[in-house]
Amino acid sequence: MITLMPKNNFIVKTVFLAFFFSAFISTSFSQSPEDIYNQYKKEFPDKMGVLLEKNDEITIDFEGDTVSILHTEYEDLLFLTDRATGLASQKAYESYFSKIENIDAVTLVPNGKRYKKMKVEYFKKEKESSSGIFYDDLESTNFIMPNVSPQARTQVSITQNIKDPRFLSSFYLDSYVPIKSAKLTLKVNKNIEINYKLFNTEDIKLDFNKTEKGNYVIYEWTAKNLKDFKAEDNAPRRNYFSPHIVYYVTQINYPNRTQKIAKSVADLYDWYSNLSCKVNLEDDAELFKTVTELTKGVTEEQEKVKNIFYWVQDNIKYIAFEDGMQGFIPSEASFVYAKRYGDCKGMSSIIHKMLNMAGIENTYLTWIGSRSLPYKYSEIPTPIVDNHMIVTYQPTEGEFIFLDATDSYSPFGFPSSMIQGKEALLGMGREKHKVALVPIIDKEKNYSKKSVSLSISDKNLVGKGQYSAEGYPKGYMTHYIDGLSKENEKIYMNRYFTKGNNKFFVDDYKINNLNEKDEALKIEYDFRIEDYAKFVGDEIYINMNMEKAFSNDEIEKDRKSPIENDYLFKANNDIFLQIPEGYEIEYLPENSDFNNDLFGYNIEYKKEGNKIKFTHNYYKNYLLLNNESFEDWNKMIKEVNKAYREVIILKKK
């Protein structure tokens, strides 16, 4: 239930934290609010605000016989335009692993030569629901900063208690506005060992200092004058390009024992294994019966694996579920079977159990990060590396097939597209656990092919088309089509196959192999394009470039972030135009092409008997297109757009 809570319900646990916050908000008033505003408005004329300070302080210490972690985040934001007033509404998040201990929030309102402090007194707590997540234990405390306007400043300090040393956060050295000063301080008890890793910091000046004071080691990073980041289309997650510091506890040295937290991947696997080792110890008669039916008469092991994998894809509904430690423990296979739904861990649990029931032992529960996470186990052996679970089948030594049933449409042998190129942690036992690399599926296995026969009828084009697709293109299209009503299905066909202009109509179509996972998707369709052929005197003008791939994809010159692609692919398109009786070819455009290792196309015109064959092939051979390739990409776009303007000319004999 949503409740209103006065601020004094939050308890400051330590005198240190109270002092820490008060030191932050004791703003220097040597400059008037107007002077401060004018200074930064001149420096950042196009920005809606500037963070004068962005500071995080983390204290990792002992409280009795347990580890205590307090994390205080502080921001001092100066508002430069009316647009920034949208930032007055703020949220502080917490979950099972991180509880809010204290929030202090004030607005510094210009009042002549000084500021007047206006405190936030009331906070509203509510459950959060993330997109695509069936259940989430995330909660937020919401509050609105009072009297926000240009020249005003907001100062917010949020202190959280982190319950498990495996779940420390990251510190980002950029934000949605420029930052004048950023500082990360780790105050760590000498008997607690930590490590850290810097990401994307090559282009900033980052000062580091390590000192000892009493029973503590102090780690401190500072940076000045940091640029803001801009959200850009088709960009990967911010952690791929924003400068940030990941810090984590590696070992805790108690008086009588040592606890390894993240010294190595083995420590992470030990923890994961302990969470999952008590699952599926009992058999389920009904589940065993289903396994028996799926494998009856099947002699080849790989066919048994495929049958079980496809059954889970088709019969178990994927739901995302995050609830504290339960978000790390797989559900019982019997529970998933009975309910017919599960999260990634539940779906992996039932696949693993069913395979074992079928006598297939060389299968392993597997932890893995999606492509939204750029980290590797070898770099950071903590839960920050992964957010997903699958099953790995090892048919022969060194050969791995990754089974991810959360993607209902991926064929056997294809990992889901979101885990391509990622490291996978296979649960083979502490001494035998293995980190394996998920392959990136070659573009030759992800293809679509269109073949179209056209004839001219008055000013219209009438045609028959054939479409086929395998790999991810098939899976993505099946995902969109499956379950559509006939009416919506036809709307989709018109939109997907549209050619030439907005007077394109699919009159009839037939879909084959939609749910045959091991067969290519095939679609046959009849269509017409009204008013497309241009008649001028004795000549007919037709632009054969009816599907202009890449035409609007020029990359802006000031783009900073890489461009993400779901999968590697190639597309082959052929159009055969019947030359009308009494006409001959007056002009065929020149062929055009551009090819490199990452992307390319070719356009070709050819006369074959009484037809013109137009070929347009193109491909993308990357998952992430980095900045150094942007110039070549735009060069290709310029050339292909020039080719798209070309027309063929037919002339009466």
Side-chain angles (χ1 to χ4, degrees):
M1 183 175 71
I2 296 174
T3 57
L4 289 176
M5 302 184 299
K7 186 180 75 65
N8 57 16
N9 279 3
F10 294 104
I11 301 172
V12 180
K13 283 198 168 179
T14 67
V15 174
F16 171 77
L17 286 172
F19 173 78
F20 175 65
F21 173 69
S22 64
F24 272 138
I25 64 172
S26 59
T27 309
S28 171
F29 295 107
S30 59
Q31 288 180 285
S32 71
E34 186 176 4
D35 289 341
I36 294 173
Y37 172 80
N38 289 336
Q39 173 188 339
Y40 290 109
K41 185 64 176 176
K42 182 178 179 181
E43 185 175 354
F44 304 108
D46 301 324
K47 305 301 180 182
M48 62 181 179
V50 55
L51 276 168
L52 303 181
E53 287 187 280
K54 172 183 164 68
N55 299 327
D56 277 22
E57 176 144 346
I58 298 91
T59 301
I60 308 174
D61 202 355
F62 290 102
E63 187 173 308
D65 59 353
T66 62
V67 172
S68 167
I69 302 174
L70 291 177
H71 179 184
T72 297
E73 301 175 79
Y74 171 80
E75 289 188 352
D76 181 353
L77 173 64
L78 171 64
F79 290 70
L80 297 177
T81 70
D82 287 327
R83 287 190 302 125
T85 58
L87 304 174
S89 180
Q90 300 213 14
K91 288 186 176 186
Y93 294 97
E94 62 183 324
S95 67
Y96 171 86
F97 297 106
S98 179
K99 296 297 183 183
I100 294 173
E101 293 291 325
N102 184 69
I103 299 178
D104 279 295
V106 300
T107 301
L108 301 184
V109 181
N111 185 22
K113 297 290 187 181
R114 301 176 64 83
Y115 289 107
K116 177 183 177 182
K117 293 183 182 179
M118 299 190 67
K119 270 197 168 187
V120 176
E121 296 292 342
Y122 290 95
F123 300 81
K124 185 171 66 175
K125 194 169 185 176
E126 60 185 29
K127 294 286 294 182
E128 286 286 321
S129 57
S130 302
S131 174
I133 297 181
F134 176 75
Y135 179 82
D136 195 337
D137 71 335
L138 192 67
E139 294 181 334
S140 66
T141 298
N142 303 268
F143 54 98
I144 298 176
M145 307 301 297
N147 287 60
V148 167
S149 63
Q151 295 193 32
R153 291 160 65 178
T154 57
Q155 296 180 330
V156 179
S157 174
I158 301 170
T159 298
Q160 293 183 310
N161 184 340
I162 299 173
K163 296 177 63 175
D164 191 307
R166 293 176 180 85
F167 294 98
L168 293 177
S169 186
S170 304
F171 182 72
Y172 281 83
L173 292 148
D174 63 1
S175 187
Y176 47 89
V177 293
I179 302 173
K180 290 303 295 181
S181 175
K183 183 177 181 181
L184 170 64
T185 304
L186 304 178
K187 182 181 179 182
V188 186
N189 188 291
K190 286 183 177 180
N191 289 310
I192 299 173
E193 300 176 25
I194 70 162
N195 204 347
Y196 57 87
K197 180 78 175 176
L198 307 181
F199 290 90
N200 311 313
T201 59
E202 300 83 4
D203 296 330
I204 65 172
K205 186 178 185 302
L206 183 61
D207 295 323
F208 174 67
N209 190 35
K210 179 180 178 182
T211 59
E212 293 190 16
K213 187 175 182 179
N215 290 326
Y216 300 96
V217 180
I218 313 295
Y219 303 80
E220 190 174 272
W221 292 266
T222 57
K224 305 288 185 183
N225 301 316
L226 300 159
K227 295 180 180 179
D228 55 325
F229 72 87
K230 181 176 73 171
E232 296 176 310
D233 293 339
N234 302 313
R237 290 288 182 90
R238 177 184 172 196
N239 45 25
Y240 272 86
F241 53 86
S242 282
H244 62 288
I245 305 167
V246 177
Y247 49 91
Y248 55 100
V249 172
T250 59
Q251 183 169 298
I252 303 170
N253 301 311
Y254 294 98
N256 299 317
R257 65 186 177 93
T258 295
Q259 182 185 8
K260 291 183 178 181
I261 301 295
K263 279 279 191 181
S264 67
V265 180
D267 300 326
L268 178 63
Y269 174 67
D270 267 1
W271 185 65
Y272 282 157
S273 180
N274 288 334
L275 295 176
S276 60
C277 66
K278 296 180 181 179
V279 176
N280 294 335
L281 300 181
E282 303 292 332
D283 284 343
D284 181 283
E286 289 300 314
L287 182 59
F288 183 76
K289 181 180 177 182
T290 297
V291 172
T292 302
E293 292 171 353
L294 290 170
T295 57
K296 185 178 180 180
V298 180
T299 56
E300 292 190 9
E301 181 178 89
Q302 214 165 125
E303 283 299 308
K304 293 180 181 180
V305 177
K306 182 194 292 186
N307 289 352
I308 289 170
F309 175 63
Y310 282 168
W311 184 90
V312 174
Q313 277 187 317
D314 295 338
N315 292 277
I316 304 298
K317 180 178 176 59
Y318 169 67
I319 61 167
F321 187 88
E322 296 181 10
D323 185 17
M325 289 305 300
Q326 293 302 314
F328 288 86
I329 301 173
S331 299
E332 291 282 345
S334 57
F335 175 86
V336 178
Y337 180 77
K339 299 296 184 182
R340 290 298 199 268
Y341 66 76
D343 63 2
C344 63
K345 297 173 297 299
M347 298 183 86
S348 298
S349 173
I350 193 171
I351 291 173
H352 190 243
K353 183 64 176 178
M354 291 175 76
L355 292 173
N356 287 341
M357 284 179 166
I360 302 167
E361 299 296 332
N362 48 327
T363 64
Y364 316 106
L365 289 176
T366 300
W367 292 263
I368 192 169
S370 69
R371 283 165 48 201
S372 65
L373 301 173
Y375 313 114
K376 297 179 179 180
Y377 288 107
S378 56
E379 294 175 330
I380 312 170
T382 77
I384 198 174
V385 178
D386 51 46
N387 57 359
H388 193 44
M389 178 178 274
I390 61 174
V391 174
T392 302
Y393 164 58
Q394 185 176 14
T396 61
E397 185 66 31
E399 179 186 1
F400 301 104
I401 296 176
F402 300 96
L403 308 175
D404 184 1
T406 63
D407 180 354
S408 300
Y409 303 104
S410 61
F412 181 75
F414 273 55
S416 56
S417 64
M418 70 174 182
I419 62 172
Q420 294 179 94
K422 295 292 297 181
E423 288 185 342
L425 176 59
L426 280 58
M428 306 169 75
R430 181 174 174 83
E431 300 302 323
K432 297 170 58 180
H433 77 272
K434 183 179 182 64
V435 175
L437 192 65
V438 178
I440 297 172
I441 301 301
D442 190 271
K443 72 179 190 302
E444 302 298 324
K445 295 181 179 180
N446 296 317
Y447 81 88
S448 64
K449 182 174 177 60
K450 295 175 186 175
S451 181
V452 172
S453 297
L454 283 176
S455 60
I456 301 172
S457 177
D458 294 328
K459 294 183 179 180
N460 303 331
L461 295 181
V462 178
K464 288 183 175 292
Q466 294 181 327
Y467 170 85
S468 62
E470 286 192 357
Y472 296 129
K474 178 195 173 181
Y476 274 52
M477 192 166 190
T478 303
H479 169 76
Y480 285 114
I481 296 174
D482 200 18
L484 288 178
S485 66
K486 274 297 178 183
E487 180 182 0
N488 288 331
E489 188 178 84
K490 187 166 185 179
I491 291 173
Y492 179 83
M493 292 295 155
N494 269 287
R495 186 170 69 247
Y496 187 83
F497 291 115
T498 187
K499 297 173 175 61
N501 60 30
N502 59 4
K503 295 183 179 181
F504 171 89
F505 302 96
V506 170
D507 294 315
D508 194 18
Y509 65 91
K510 181 181 179 182
I511 302 173
N512 297 301
N513 302 330
L514 182 67
N515 294 307
E516 299 296 326
K517 292 186 171 69
D518 296 326
E519 300 292 335
L521 174 66
K522 295 183 182 295
I523 301 175
E524 301 170 3
Y525 57 102
D526 299 333
F527 67 93
R528 57 197 154 87
I529 312 175
E530 296 179 354
D531 298 325
Y532 190 75
K534 305 299 180 186
F535 287 78
V536 180
D538 292 339
E539 296 177 332
I540 304 174
Y541 295 78
I542 298 176
N543 188 325
M544 300 290 283
N545 298 280
M546 297 175 183
E547 297 180 37
K548 297 177 172 60
F550 305 158
S551 63
N552 298 315
D553 293 344
E554 184 176 359
I555 300 172
E556 295 178 358
K557 290 183 179 179
D558 62 347
R559 184 182 176 103
K560 303 298 182 185
S561 54
I563 296 174
E564 190 171 35
N565 190 32
D566 287 338
Y567 50 81
L568 281 53
F569 73 88
K570 69 172 186 176
N572 300 331
N573 302 287
D574 291 327
I575 298 177
F576 298 88
L577 175 66
Q578 181 79 39
I579 300 172
E581 188 173 343
Y583 282 81
E584 61 185 359
I585 298 172
E586 173 75 4
Y587 172 75
L588 284 183
E590 292 185 2
N591 298 334
S592 176
D593 68 86
F594 185 101
N595 295 282
N596 65 25
D597 291 339
L598 298 176
F599 45 80
Y601 78 92
N602 74 285
I603 290 174
E604 183 179 283
Y605 299 84
K606 185 188 299 183
K607 183 177 184 297
E608 292 187 351
N610 63 345
K611 296 180 180 179
I612 296 172
K613 180 183 179 183
F614 169 79
T615 297
H616 180 199
N617 302 327
Y618 54 92
Y619 62 90
K620 288 184 179 179
N621 198 39
Y622 63 85
L623 292 180
L624 209 62
L625 190 66
N626 291 311
N627 303 54
E628 59 265 24
S629 299
F630 289 176
E631 185 177 346
D632 282 344
W633 174 271
N634 282 341
K635 182 179 178 182
M636 179 186 74
I637 299 303
K638 184 178 180 180
E639 292 187 18
V640 76
N641 279 331
K642 180 181 177 182
Y644 286 159
R645 292 190 290 270
E646 292 281 3
V647 297
I648 65 169
I649 303 174
L650 303 176
K651 186 179 177 65
K652 275 188 178 180
K653 294 181 180 177

